[in-house]
Amino acid sequence: MNKRLLLAPAAAWIASLGFASSVSAESAIEQKPAADGMQRFAPLSQLETSESKSVPASVSQVTSVSQLSDVRPTDWAFQALQSLVERYGCIAGYPDRTYRGNRALTRYEFAAGLNACLDRVNELIAAATADLVKKEDLATLQKLQEEFAAELATLRGRVDALEAKVTTLEKQQFSTTTKLTGNVWFNLTGAFPSGDITAERSPAGGGNSAFAPPVRGAGGVPSRVQRRNVNPTFSYYTFLNLTTSFTGRDQLVTQLVSGNGNSPANQLVSSGFFNSWGTPFLDQTGLPPNSGLAIRELFYSFPLNDAVRVVVGPRVNFYRHFDQNRFTFYLTGTSSFNSNGSTLSNAVDRGSGAVVAWNINKQLRLTAAYLAENTEFLNSAAGFNTSSNPARGLFKGTNTLSAELAYAPSPSFNFRFLYTRSNLDPTNGFAGGSAGEPLPYGFADDGFGGRVRESTSDAFIANFDWLITPRFGIFGRYSYGRTNINPVNPVRAGGDVKVQSFQAGLGFPDLGKKGALGVISFVMPHDYIDGREFLLSGGGDGGTQYDLEVSYYYPLTRNIAIVPSFYAIFNANNFESNPTVFVGNVRTQFSF
């Protein structure tokens, strides 16, 4: 015999108790968001519907199911309802002779209906009325109990085990877990100057170093070299991310980095301009000298409440929190250093300190941070990684204080305004270089080749992206920066270097395939408004450099993408006399 068929009448009897013929789990509970963002359930007794408010309080006993005008023989619980009404007489209808079987059942109604039926069953048992409760029924129930004894015992054991697990989960809620994710990039890159490129470099060693500052010659003009011969490169870059959570809402992030890239365009740049133009962001080493693996990010993130989140750590990534843009995100959007973000921000790529993000409402977010320089690819022996150097520490070396207000009136439009106040520790006695923004690369001295002291700077950046249609959008940035020059030589007059930059571009989401993105970006990375006389490198012959980039992110699969990009660099190194440089890059991107 089919045991499930034997159980069906009992299930239907239970389902029909208490005036309702179809009460589901969905109608018995309501999901409500709690203050911590987790889902909570409210008991049915706490819920109130417009229907339950209008139900009359009185009911009327019926002796036949046909007396209920809204009950049909086709109803799924008709037979169970008929048995309870006509055989046991423990179901009542409303005064208007309706049963209202589809109405939600309250816990009070369920208790009242169940109690009425149990009272009636007890009466029948006590009276031993053989015509109503047959001995065959009792024998059947006893047989079912005996036949299903093993199953009932097993079910009872499983329920007990589940209750124990639920109790444990309620106490613990979460167990510590660590998740590994990663990104790997292959880069094939070539640079093609259409003639000799003039660069401001030290002539020592044949002018081969992009890090050694120039020397001023007659008339204070920085030394120059001619660069041309470059060869294509094939390199790799990789991130390994270890994300650990202790509560389910916090994150301990450790990001490891390794790579061997040195983009061909770096053979053509002025000193201090390394990776500053014609270089894909992901075509680099990301490592300090003589190192095969480094920690790129190390921080702990946790919520203070639903609206405020805090990030603290010895190596916090500035760009994870500031100056974002849907069309310039380095994984899927523009691919060069100059197009990924503002060229005037930030002197601290990674630093020690804290970030606080406050979601004021659905449209406004305020983010603030204090970071002391601790960038993984900079050499500590050259005076970098100042936050871990006790001679400089958190407050004496290069550090930045930043605040950004982001406004998103709709999902298609974002506007951000960023301000950064920096204290710049001079590299080799000169302002600028890898930790010198808002001096966008290059070096600054006292105007005569002399060293400078620590300086302060301010940077203001406005940034927007607008998805006008699902397949077309525009974006742009404007940046303004001021750096104070404080000469070591007291007879030299100081001053300010003032610079601006802008970016404008077009985005084409889902171009050719769902998830693809084509981007055109035009950038003026550095236009000097004042203080050009302090530029030891980067001043050029008074020209202004422009970059044009075209990139296309094309996902082959969920985990593999190919990203071809093309750059044209006009007036390279701010020399109007320099010919145009063309750079091509094909990136294969793996994620797991």
Side-chain angles (χ1 to χ4, degrees), residues 395-572:
F395 306 107
K396 181 64 175 175
T398 297
N399 56 71
T400 62
L401 183 63
S402 304
E404 181 183 75
L405 183 65
Y407 174 58
S410 72
S412 62
F413 183 83
N414 295 284
F415 176 82
R416 307 163 190 85
F417 181 77
L418 169 64
Y419 168 72
T420 295
R421 174 74 171 184
S422 301
N423 180 73
L424 304 175
D425 193 26
T427 303
N428 297 322
F430 301 116
S434 298
E437 289 92 341
L439 272 179
Y441 324 113
F443 291 108
D445 59 12
D446 65 359
F448 297 88
R451 271 39 177 183
V452 297
R453 303 179 189 275
E454 291 182 0
S455 58
T456 58
S457 68
D458 301 279
F460 304 86
I461 300 162
N463 157 19
F464 83 94
D465 60 76
W466 182 17
L467 189 63
I468 299 175
T469 72
R471 293 181 179 271
F472 175 71
I474 61 176
F475 63 95
R477 280 186 177 89
Y478 175 79
S479 307
Y480 171 84
R482 178 205 64 83
T483 301
N484 176 255
I485 301 299
N486 184 16
V488 171
N489 189 338
V491 303
R492 302 297 185 192
D496 291 333
V497 177
K498 299 176 182 177
V499 61
Q500 64 180 352
S501 69
F502 79 83
Q503 178 184 24
L506 307 175
F508 303 91
D510 298 334
L511 180 64
K513 183 179 182 180
K514 183 71 174 179
L517 177 61
V519 180
I520 300 174
S521 172
F522 183 76
V523 181
M524 180 184 69
H526 28 65
D527 175 35
Y528 290 97
I529 302 170
D530 195 13
R532 205 174 189 118
E533 67 273 15
F534 295 111
L535 296 179
L536 180 60
S537 59
D541 61 4
T544 300
Q545 178 177 308
Y546 299 96
D547 301 2
L548 176 65
E549 174 182 331
V550 179
S551 64
Y552 181 46
Y553 171 82
Y554 185 82
L556 298 175
T557 68
R558 183 178 179 181
N559 301 100
I560 303 175
I562 186 169
V563 188
S565 56
F566 170 82
Y567 316 111
I569 312 300
F570 308 98
N571 302 337

Side-chain angles (χ1 to χ4, degrees), residues 238-262:
T238 185
F239 292 166
L240 292 177
N241 311 293
L242 296 169
T243 304
T244 302
S245 185
F246 304 97
T247 67
R249 302 185 67 208
D250 62 342
Q251 287 186 329
L252 173 64
V253 175
T254 304
Q255 185 181 80
L256 305 177
V257 61
S258 183
N260 66 350
N262 183 355

Side-chain angles (χ1 to χ4, degrees), residues 222-363:
S223 56
R224 301 173 180 178
V225 298
Q226 300 297 307
R227 308 289 299 172
R228 182 169 188 173
N229 295 325
V230 292
N231 292 297
T233 60
F234 189 39
S235 64
Y236 77 90
Y237 195 47
T238 185
F239 292 166
L240 292 177
N241 311 293
L242 296 169
T243 304
T244 302
S245 185
F246 304 97
T247 67
R249 302 185 67 208
D250 62 342
Q251 287 186 329
L252 173 64
V253 175
T254 304
Q255 185 181 80
L256 305 177
V257 61
S258 183
N260 66 350
N262 183 355
S263 200
N266 286 326
Q267 301 301 305
L268 309 173
V269 300
S270 291
S271 293
F273 274 52
F274 192 84
N275 282 353
S276 68
W277 56 263
T279 300
F281 177 77
L282 295 167
D283 189 14
Q284 57 170 309
T285 63
L287 297 171
N290 303 317
S291 175
L293 188 68
I295 294 179
R296 186 173 186 267
E297 296 187 52
L298 182 60
F299 65 86
Y300 180 62
S301 170
F302 61 93
L304 285 183
N305 52 43
D306 283 348
V308 180
R309 192 167 190 88
V310 176
V311 175
V312 61
R315 190 158 279 173
V316 178
N317 188 353
F318 173 88
Y319 303 103
R320 186 183 282 261
H321 307 283
F322 296 95
D323 199 28
Q324 299 291 314
N325 190 292
R326 79 172 81 211
F327 296 114
T328 66
F329 180 52
Y330 74 99
L331 286 180
T332 57
T334 54
S335 61
S336 72
F337 277 85
N338 282 357
S339 287
N340 285 157
S342 170
T343 55
L344 308 193
S345 180
N346 187 284
V348 175
D349 290 345
R350 258 74 65 194
S352 303
V355 179
V356 179
W358 175 26
N359 291 317
I360 301 172
N361 55 44
K362 291 182 178 180
Q363 296 179 330

Side-chain angles (χ1 to χ4, degrees), residues 215-223:
V215 293
R216 291 191 182 267
V221 177
S223 56

